Amino acid sequence: MPWTLHCTTGCGYQAPGHQLASLCPQCAQPLAVAYDAAPARDALSDEWSLWRYAPALPIAPGEARVSLGEGMTPLVELPALARELGVHRLWVKDEGQNPTASFKARGLMMAVVRAKALGLPGVCVPTAGNAGIALAAYAAAAALPARIYAPRTTPPPILGSIRAFGVELELVDGHIGDAGKATMQFAKESGYFNVATVREPYRVEGMKTMGFELAEQLGWELPDAIIYPTGGGEGTIGIWKAINEMVAWGWLPSDVVKPRMIIAQAAGCAPLVRAFHAGEEKATPWENPVTHASGLRVPGPLGDRWTLRTLRESRGDAEAVDEDAIRAGTFTLASRSGIDAAPEGGCALAATAQLVKTGRLAPESTVVVFNTGSGASYRW
Amino acid sequence: MPWTLHCTTGCGYQAPGHQLASLCPQCAQPLAVAYDAAPARDALSDEWSLWRYAPALPIAPGEARVSLGEGMTPLVELPALARELGVHRLWVKDEGQNPTASFKARGLMMAVVRAKALGLPGVCVPTAGNAGIALAAYAAAAALPARIYAPRTTPPPILGSIRAFGVELELVDGHIGDAGKATMQFAKESGYFNVATVREPYRVEGMKTMGFELAEQLGWELPDAIIYPTGGGEGTIGIWKAINEMVAWGWLPSDVVKPRMIIAQAAGCAPLVRAFHAGEEKATPWENPVTHASGLRVPGPLGDRWTLRTLRESRGDAEAVDEDAIRAGTFTLASRSGIDAAPEGGCALAATAQLVKTGRLAPESTVVVFNTGSGASYRW
């Protein structure tokens, strides 16, 4: 295998790439994939999916790919909105055009590919929404058994989407944390691969392709700032990993100015924003999380340290947005761009406006805002 | 302008390409775009949208493009399902990954681009679903006023999607036909461009890019059969137009075997299937249309003659599928492929199985089935 696994805390733990990976056995923090050799940018293909970056993904020769056309999402420039917000240039990357209509497709595809390559009997995940749908779709594509644990209170259309793919769906009393416990218990008993956010190192590898794409779409240049609506953190983490890999591998000049990674959270569930501004290394779980942007309702993310480190390393920032501003941002984004914005994307746009107003984002900045899902998922 | 407009009946009517076009003034049938010069396949770009085919689209130098990343949808091969169905090879082209989650994005984008180029005050359309959402999105992207007419009984999430883009939405008592009449009246009064299916020639130009993509994805080769779930007919018509253009322009060898164009309709609303098997040139409107596949609930399509001619020219076929078989086909497609199949896609897959069983589709065939939208649009 052309990669190894490393603990993200720097504790020094390493494991061979072909080993089934979960958290670091020394510090119970996430592991990350490190490649033994630098893939060449010239080796990338012109495939119509994120598999164009295959040399930079954890797949060994002879292993089977799975693909539903994930990635290669559009980057839409919005000059009029840039002027109004007061930034130099503004683009929105619309992740709602992925399979199963969210950025989750990228990561769950990669996790399913590894589960298949490792010969595991199945995959399981706790979910309140998009991750469960994405895992169900990719398990179906790979003909791999899957079991999804969701709170009984999950909106019926989401449960319907999971069921549409013919996987096992277990409803759990309580919230996403209870679903997480049930998933862990089942994984232990069954040998199924638990692919909860950053509990394994492969989802982030799929997520990082957002960073590769962004650079390729901008002619192998980078924006000054990336605003990412953040729940579990894997999107933000993944993009930053990609940026560092691209510089390390010579895809980008070694003196390139890396973007500031900025997270947007809902004011009703902002554990990472709170921890960032308090200068903490980890987040304290948010009590009584409330937001209609369900992808942001993650009170105690396992990727908290990794995300906070990303913000510090990138001279980034973190901004909380209240519910009314999320709604207004969502309508502004959809009605001014034609992108079917999800509330998460609306949150990121609203955060951008707030950061400019408070002087924390310079008016000469070039800015990429991520819309992580489809607004249609919220209409029922 | 490098194109002219021709009546699709062969009545001989022609008009300059820069003229605002509706139906043929001589025979009230659809007009089509014919290009003055053959675009070269080498002139295509590697853009991440259907704009890679810009030289083959009705846009003149200096005119503004509008794009939300439409097109470049995945073509997923399903070897196991091919074996079970009894065909040589089977692919599904997943149009649910377009902006606003359906193939309608391609055509409405093109209509909006022409409306903008022609300096029209706005666009309007009657809809029971996906066309209205797509027009709303592209009107927002182009900053062009839009008014959508929908039956009052349209599912609330569809109305919500239209409203999300900030366009005008008018609810109409009655069915889609009543919405169509209201749209015509409004267009006459306002000068807004009525972009109802095949009432203008540009939507088909967007739709035809499905044919270009299919050929490009198959290495500039063609399948033996294309199964398209058909309501208004513009998808089927567009793909066949693309195939003929590719041959005429030398993108494909002149002796290439063109695919059989096969339409799938719901048994509860199958005017084109009935007309095709009766050997008619046009369809009689279906009385009491009933199907849960709402994109197929088009009882009296204006593109009936053009669609029927396409089937005859391509040695094609037409198959009706009952509601239970549509449901079973939808579940089979989603659970075996990971594609979030809409009932329309399920109908096309079920039709394929029926055609093989009845000996009307040869077992050695290579087959492409279209999934025209997302199953998620049906869950609420």
Side-chain angles (χ1 to χ4, degrees):
Chain A
M1 296 276 178
W3 66 86
T4 52
L5 303 169
H6 296 248
C7 181
T8 53
T9 64
C11 83
Y13 176 80
Q14 286 196 23
H18 63 266
Q19 184 173 307
L20 174 58
S22 181
L23 296 178
C24 173
Q26 291 178 192
C27 48
Q29 281 289 302
L31 296 179
V33 171
Y35 296 84
D36 298 346
R41 208 178 84 183
D42 291 348
L44 305 181
S45 75
D46 57 0
E47 282 177 74
W48 291 13
S49 77
L50 62 78
W51 283 105
R52 63 202 283 116
Y53 309 110
L57 295 175
I59 188 163
E63 290 180 347
R65 292 186 189 183
V66 177
S67 184
L68 296 169
E70 53 290 329
M72 284 190 83
T73 56
L75 185 70
V76 179
E77 185 165 9
L78 303 172
L81 211 47
R83 277 191 298 276
E84 275 171 48
L85 287 181
V87 296
H88 181 50
R89 293 182 75 177
L90 174 71
W91 296 264
V92 175
K93 192 153 167 73
D94 183 15
E95 290 293 304
Q97 288 185 47
N98 273 299
T100 68
S102 87
F103 78 117
K104 296 289 183 185
R106 298 177 186 263
L108 274 311
M109 178 282 284
M110 208 67 244
V112 164
V113 163
R114 292 310 315 147
K116 194 90 181 167
L118 292 166
L120 301 176
V123 282
C124 55
V125 81
T127 191
N130 286 331
I133 303 173
L135 183 64
Y138 283 97
L144 191 67
R147 188 181 283 197
I148 318 285
Y149 286 87
R152 203 175 293 283
T153 52
T154 305
I158 292 176
L159 300 178
S161 284
I162 293 169
R163 287 196 182 102
F165 296 105
V167 303
E168 289 183 274
L169 173 62
E170 298 285 332
L171 298 182
V172 175
D173 292 317
H175 52 66
I176 178 80
D178 301 298
K181 282 175 205 154
T183 307
M184 278 195 273
Q185 182 61 32
F186 172 71
K188 198 181 287 181
E189 292 163 5
S190 64
Y192 274 39
F193 190 26
N194 182 354
V195 298
T197 309
V198 301
R199 190 167 285 280
E200 50 66 53
Y202 311 119
R203 277 173 66 166
V204 166
E205 294 301 296
M207 292 302 172
K208 77 180 183 185
T209 58
M210 290 188 283
F212 295 156
E213 285 183 16
L214 189 56
E216 184 172 358
Q217 287 172 301
L218 293 175
W220 300 105
E221 297 200 353
L222 296 173
D224 297 321
I226 292 172
I227 322 284
Y228 205 95
T230 299
E234 61 181 339
T236 309
I237 290 166
I239 293 170
W240 186 241
K241 184 171 193 283
I243 287 167
N244 285 294
E245 286 179 341
M246 287 190 286
V247 173
W249 296 338
W251 295 15
L252 296 174
S254 58
D255 61 350
V256 71
V257 178
K258 297 178 190 172
R260 300 177 63 202
M261 299 298 300
I262 299 174
I263 61 166
Q265 295 202 296
C269 183
L272 295 167
V273 175
R274 182 171 65 186
F276 177 77
H277 290 297
E280 307 281 359
E281 278 183 21
K282 58 181 181 154
T284 312
W286 195 266
E287 285 173 20
N288 190 27
V290 181
T291 172
H292 76 286
S294 55
L296 305 180
R297 210 184 304 129
V298 184
L302 183 55
D304 57 345
R305 292 164 187 257
W306 200 354
T307 308
L308 290 165
R309 206 162 47 240
T310 293
L311 301 187
R312 299 235 160 71
E313 285 176 12
S314 70
R315 306 153 291 113
D317 208 333
E319 181 72 352
V321 179
D322 69 34
E323 295 296 291
D324 281 350
I326 292 175
R327 281 183 223 279
T330 307
F331 182 73
T332 299
L333 181 49
S335 62
R336 299 296 300 279
S337 74
I339 290 168
D340 192 2
E344 292 83 358
C347 179
L349 186 69
T352 308
Q354 292 176 195
L355 289 164
V356 174
K357 261 188 204 144
T358 53
R360 283 150 63 199
L361 188 60
E364 63 270 23
S365 301
T366 56
V367 179
V368 172
V369 165
F370 275 77
N371 178 53
T372 48
S374 165
S377 308
Y378 283 86
R379 289 176 209 119
W380 49 280
Chain B
M1 295 270 180
W3 66 86
T4 51
L5 303 169
H6 296 248
C7 180
T8 54
T9 63
C11 82
Y13 176 79
Q14 286 195 23
H18 63 265
Q19 184 174 307
L20 173 59
S22 180
L23 297 177
C24 172
Q26 292 178 189
C27 49
Q29 282 289 303
L31 296 179
V33 171
Y35 296 83
D36 299 345
R41 208 177 84 184
D42 291 348
L44 304 182
S45 75
D46 58 359
E47 281 177 74
W48 291 14
S49 77
L50 63 76
W51 283 106
R52 64 202 282 115
Y53 308 110
L57 295 175
I59 188 163
E63 290 179 348
R65 292 187 188 182
V66 177
S67 185
L68 297 168
E70 52 290 329
M72 284 191 82
T73 57
L75 185 70
V76 178
E77 184 164 11
L78 302 172
L81 211 47
R83 277 191 297 278
E84 276 172 46
L85 287 182
V87 295
H88 181 51
R89 293 182 76 177
L90 174 71
W91 295 264
V92 175
K93 192 154 169 70
D94 183 14
E95 290 293 305
Q97 289 184 45
N98 274 299
T100 69
S102 88
F103 78 118
K104 296 288 182 185
R106 298 178 186 263
L108 274 312
M109 177 282 284
M110 208 67 246
V112 164
V113 163
R114 292 311 315 147
K116 194 89 180 166
L118 293 165
L120 300 176
V123 284
C124 55
V125 81
T127 190
N130 286 331
I133 302 173
L135 182 63
Y138 283 97
L144 192 67
R147 187 181 285 195
I148 319 286
Y149 286 87
R152 203 173 294 282
T153 53
T154 306
I158 292 176
L159 300 179
S161 285
I162 294 169
R163 287 196 183 103
F165 296 105
V167 303
E168 289 182 274
L169 172 62
E170 296 286 331
L171 298 181
V172 176
D173 292 319
H175 53 68
I176 177 82
D178 300 299
K181 282 175 206 154
T183 307
M184 279 194 273
Q185 182 62 33
F186 172 70
K188 198 181 288 180
E189 293 162 7
S190 65
Y192 274 39
F193 190 27
N194 181 353
V195 298
T197 310
V198 302
R199 191 167 284 279
E200 52 65 52
Y202 311 118
R203 277 174 64 166
V204 166
E205 294 302 295
M207 292 301 173
K208 77 179 184 187
T209 58
M210 291 189 284
F212 295 156
E213 285 183 16
L214 190 56
E216 183 171 359
Q217 286 171 303
L218 293 174
W220 299 105
E221 297 201 352
L222 296 173
D224 297 322
I226 292 172
I227 323 283
Y228 205 95
T230 299
E234 60 180 341
T236 309
I237 290 166
I239 293 170
W240 186 240
K241 185 171 193 284
I243 287 167
N244 285 294
E245 286 179 341
M246 288 190 286
V247 174
W249 295 338
W251 294 15
L252 297 173
S254 58
D255 61 348
V256 71
V257 178
K258 297 178 191 171
R260 299 178 64 205
M261 298 300 299
I262 299 174
I263 63 166
Q265 295 202 295
C269 182
L272 295 167
V273 175
R274 181 170 66 185
F276 177 77
H277 291 296
E280 307 282 0
E281 279 181 22
K282 58 180 181 154
T284 312
W286 196 265
E287 286 173 20
N288 191 26
V290 181
T291 172
H292 75 286
S294 55
L296 305 179
R297 210 184 306 130
V298 184
L302 182 57
D304 57 343
R305 292 163 186 256
W306 199 356
T307 307
L308 291 164
R309 206 162 47 238
T310 293
L311 302 186
R312 299 233 161 75
E313 285 176 10
S314 70
R315 305 151 295 110
D317 209 334
E319 181 74 351
V321 180
D322 69 34
E323 295 296 292
D324 281 351
I326 293 175
R327 280 182 224 279
T330 307
F331 182 73
T332 299
L333 181 50
S335 62
R336 298 297 299 280
S337 73
I339 291 168
D340 192 2
E344 292 84 358
C347 179
L349 186 71
T352 308
Q354 292 177 195
L355 289 164
V356 175
K357 260 187 205 145
T358 54
R360 283 151 61 201
L361 188 60
E364 64 270 22
S365 301
T366 56
V367 179
V368 172
V369 165
F370 275 78
N371 178 54
T372 47
S374 164
S377 307
Y378 283 87
R379 290 176 208 118
W380 49 282

Short mmCIF file of all heavy atoms in Angstrom, two decimals, chain A residues 153 254 260 304 328 366:
data_model
loop_
_atom_site.label_atom_id
_atom_site.label_comp_id
_atom_site.label_asym_id
_atom_site.label_seq_id
_atom_site.Cartn_x
_atom_site.Cartn_y
_atom_site.Cartn_z
N THR A 153 -36.82 10.63 15.36
CA THR A 153 -37.40 11.94 15.01
C THR A 153 -36.87 12.49 13.69
O THR A 153 -37.22 13.61 13.30
CB THR A 153 -37.04 12.96 16.11
OG1 THR A 153 -35.61 12.91 16.31
CG2 THR A 153 -37.74 12.64 17.42
N SER A 254 5.69 26.56 -3.97
CA SER A 254 5.95 26.43 -2.52
C SER A 254 5.70 27.75 -1.79
O SER A 254 5.48 27.76 -0.58
CB SER A 254 7.38 25.95 -2.29
OG SER A 254 8.28 26.85 -2.89
N ARG A 260 -7.16 31.57 4.04
CA ARG A 260 -7.64 31.50 5.42
C ARG A 260 -8.84 30.57 5.43
O ARG A 260 -9.79 30.76 4.67
CB ARG A 260 -8.06 32.89 5.90
CG ARG A 260 -6.94 33.92 5.88
CD ARG A 260 -7.49 35.28 6.31
NE ARG A 260 -7.97 35.23 7.69
CZ ARG A 260 -8.85 36.08 8.21
NH1 ARG A 260 -9.38 37.04 7.47
NH2 ARG A 260 -9.24 35.95 9.46
N ASP A 304 -13.06 18.03 16.60
CA ASP A 304 -12.90 19.40 17.11
C ASP A 304 -11.45 19.88 17.11
O ASP A 304 -11.14 20.97 16.63
CB ASP A 304 -13.54 19.54 18.50
CG ASP A 304 -12.99 18.56 19.53
OD1 ASP A 304 -12.32 17.58 19.14
OD2 ASP A 304 -13.23 18.77 20.74
N ALA A 328 -32.16 34.48 5.86
CA ALA A 328 -31.97 35.58 4.90
C ALA A 328 -30.81 35.26 3.95
O ALA A 328 -30.90 35.52 2.74
CB ALA A 328 -31.70 36.89 5.66
N THR A 366 -10.40 37.65 -2.22
CA THR A 366 -11.12 36.74 -3.10
C THR A 366 -11.62 35.60 -2.22
O THR A 366 -10.87 35.04 -1.43
CB THR A 366 -10.20 36.20 -4.21
OG1 THR A 366 -9.07 35.57 -3.61
CG2 THR A 366 -9.73 37.32 -5.12
#
